[in-house]
Each structure stands twice: as C-alpha cells, then as structure tokens.
Amino acid sequence: MAPDMRTGVAGAEKAVTPTTICAAIYVRASTEDQVNGQFTTLAAQESYCRDYIKIRVQQGWQVYPEVFSDEKSGGTMDRSGLHHLMAAVEAGKVQAVVAKASDRLSRDMLDGLMLRKFLAEHGAKFYGVMDPADSETPAGEFMQNVIMGMAQWERKTIAKRTKDKLSAMRKNGLWTGSPVILGYDLTDKALVVNEAEAALIRLIFERYLQDPSLRRLAEYLNAQGHRTKRYEARSGKGVRKGGKLFTRPILHYLLTNVHYTGR
C-alpha cells in the first residue's frame, strides 16, 4: 500500500500539539481567615497559582491575563471578583480555574458544588493547588467536597464564637466596637455618660414627643447649632470625624437606638 502523502512532518507535529488551556487565577482573603490564623496575602496565593500553571505549560496551559480577586468571606456568592471570573468562563475565555485551595473558591458546600457544576457546564475545571488529591479523579473530587464541607463548618464555628464573645462583652457592659454614640464616652472599653451630650439626647426625645416630625426636629436642632457626635477615627492619628448636621435617618436611628430606649 502506498504511503499517505498527506501525513507529513507538519501533520505529525499538529497531532502532538496540546490543546490550549487558558487558566484563570482566583485569590481570596478575608478577615475571617485572619481570625482563624490562616491568613495569606493575595500576592502569596497568586504566586502559588502561577507556579502551579507554570509546570503545566508543556501540556498547553497558559495564564489568563487577569487575576480575579476578592477580600470577602467565602460564605457568600456576592463577590465581584467571582462574578467577573464566572463571566469569563461563560464567555469561553477560561478552561481552568486555579486557586490555592478549594476553600478559596467557596466556604459553603452547596455554593461550592454549584460553582463546580457551573464550570463543568461551560467546559472548565477547578484546580486547588494545596488540595490533597488530583481534582481530575473521583477521589480528588470527593476530597474537594470534604474540604468545602470542613471550610463551611469552620466558618460557622468562627461566626458562633465571635457572636458569643460579643454577647458576653455586652452583658458585662463593654463596648464591642464602632464609633461611640452621642451621649456617651468610651473609658476602659465601657460607655460612660457624657453629661453635656446626654442633655442633648433628652432634648431630642422631648422635642419629638411634642412634635413627632423628624424633618422639623432636624431643622430645629441644626438651627440651634447642634451637631452629631464628634469622635476620633480608628486610625488613631488624631483624625476627627462626625460633627455633621442632623438628618431624618440619623434621628430615626437615634430615637430607636436600644442604648437610649432601654430595650
């Protein structure tokens, strides 16, 4: 049989050329990670992912030009970086999503499963650099589910501990954060009545009982020269904030605040 002249060297080269896989890097870090002592910078995560992709270049992998990042809890899907990544996958621009570990993609098991299903439906796969098994195998996929399940448990445990801690602080009369409210000063993490501001609080409640109009009450207070609480910014660099005109939302918050109403 005569040889097929259509299969020359060029054809042989084409046969072994790997399919191009555009791999997008996804990184995420949140205060939740810092609380748990597992915080790594976005730059460090990106470096892990780039090294992972680099050793697969011979298999046709290349890095997608944009790095998708978030600084928000993995317990929610409301992440702008994740949404942009999903849009790139849906547009067929990305065939692989690489993150340091499965919990970077999601810390909610159901969300994680839905994300992996979304990737599969659009011809893409997820790869966790630090995951203990190859995600291409059934065992690897199972381990990703286990990791996401553990991440969800960890996230909820941290949230409960934080809530219990704040509740205990409040029961002991300690201030749990945020700017101190009008009528009080902060001394040794406890609220202490500021008599001058307390008089303004009483005036506000008395005027509202006489005339329950937030608009007119705001106009009266502003005309008398009264302003909202002045306080030092958290930066601790002497930056002062507050001292603004009273508005209807501010007065509504004040008149319904549990610190004043005794609830």
Side-chain angles (χ1 to χ4, degrees), residues 92-130:
K93 299 176 181 178
V94 171
Q95 291 75 50
V97 175
V98 180
K100 185 183 176 186
S102 298
D103 64 354
R104 297 301 88 195
L105 187 67
S106 177
R107 292 180 73 110
D108 182 276
M109 192 166 185
L110 181 58
D111 287 347
L113 291 171
M114 291 176 63
L115 282 169
R116 291 221 306 276
K117 181 181 178 182
F118 171 84
L119 294 177
E121 288 174 345
H122 293 88
K125 293 183 179 180
F126 172 76
Y127 299 85
V129 177
M130 296 298 184

Side-chain angles (χ1 to χ4, degrees), residues 10-232:
E13 289 179 350
K14 185 175 182 180
V16 297
T17 300
T19 303
T20 299
I21 297 175
C22 198
I25 295 173
Y26 178 75
V27 294
R28 182 185 65 78
S30 68
T31 52
E32 173 184 279
D33 301 313
Q34 297 181 62
V35 169
N36 198 40
Q38 295 182 345
F39 177 75
T40 57
T41 65
L42 299 179
Q45 291 181 45
E46 182 182 339
S47 179
Y48 278 115
C49 295
R50 287 190 180 277
D51 288 344
Y52 184 87
I53 296 171
K54 187 182 297 183
I55 63 176
R56 288 163 175 75
V57 170
Q58 296 300 320
Q59 301 172 27
W61 284 46
Q62 64 181 30
V63 180
Y64 188 74
E66 179 181 357
V67 175
F68 301 93
S69 66
D70 285 304
E71 295 190 41
K72 201 170 184 179
S73 171
T76 176
M77 292 280 283
D78 184 20
R79 288 174 269 155
S80 61
L82 179 62
H83 291 167
H84 292 153
L85 170 62
M86 293 173 70
V89 170
E90 193 169 16
K93 299 176 181 178
V94 171
Q95 291 75 50
V97 175
V98 180
K100 185 183 176 186
S102 298
D103 64 354
R104 297 301 88 195
L105 187 67
S106 177
R107 292 180 73 110
D108 182 276
M109 192 166 185
L110 181 58
D111 287 347
L113 291 171
M114 291 176 63
L115 282 169
R116 291 221 306 276
K117 181 181 178 182
F118 171 84
L119 294 177
E121 288 174 345
H122 293 88
K125 293 183 179 180
F126 172 76
Y127 299 85
V129 177
M130 296 298 184
D131 287 356
D134 186 355
S135 58
E136 296 274 16
T137 66
E141 186 176 344
F142 169 74
M143 285 305 301
Q144 283 188 346
N145 291 340
V146 172
I147 292 169
M148 287 185 178
M150 291 177 65
Q152 175 175 297
W153 170 81
E154 184 180 62
R155 174 176 59 82
K156 290 186 175 181
T157 300
I158 292 171
K160 185 178 186 306
R161 287 175 181 169
T162 303
K163 183 178 180 181
D164 290 346
K165 179 182 178 181
L166 294 177
S167 178
M169 288 177 66
R170 292 189 184 104
K171 286 181 179 179
N172 288 302
L174 299 178
W175 188 242
T176 56
S178 75
V180 180
I181 58 176
L182 186 68
Y184 293 93
D185 292 323
L186 187 63
T187 303
D188 296 328
K189 295 184 179 181
L191 293 180
V192 178
V193 174
N194 179 314
E195 292 299 339
E197 294 178 359
L200 175 57
I201 294 295
R202 297 187 189 100
L203 172 65
I204 291 172
F205 274 83
E206 289 169 0
R207 294 284 304 192
Y208 183 74
L209 288 174
Q210 296 170 11
D211 180 11
S213 167
L214 294 179
R215 178 182 59 80
R216 287 192 291 272
L217 179 56
E219 291 173 350
Y220 168 79
L221 294 171
N222 294 330
Q224 295 296 313
H226 297 298
R227 297 295 183 265
T228 61
K229 177 80 175 182
R230 291 180 174 84
Y231 61 94
E232 187 173 333

